[in-house]
Amino acid sequence: MSQTLPRRARSYGTYAAVALFVVVYLGVLGVVLAPRDTIAVQSGAVFMDE
């Protein structure tokens, strides 16, 4: 006689954790692979010279 365990329903917490991981992963990839001009900032020294 074979017995199987009842299927567990997936909780919304699992889906939320996976979604959060994907968003953070894509965000890190975006920062790493973005062109340098996209995320470049001016330092305060530029404003001091004026």
Side-chain angles (χ1 to χ4, degrees):
M1 182 164 109
S2 64
Q3 294 180 348
T4 59
L5 294 173
R7 291 188 128 201
R8 280 184 15 197
R10 292 196 182 226
S11 66
Y12 290 112
T14 303
Y15 291 123
V18 170
L20 180 65
F21 174 79
V22 169
V23 167
V24 170
Y25 187 79
L26 292 176
V28 170
L29 276 180
V31 169
V32 169
L33 299 177
R36 193 172 286 230
D37 295 337
T38 304
I39 55 176
V41 295
Q42 292 183 354
S43 67
V46 173
F47 299 114
M48 295 294 288
D49 290 340
E50 292 180 359

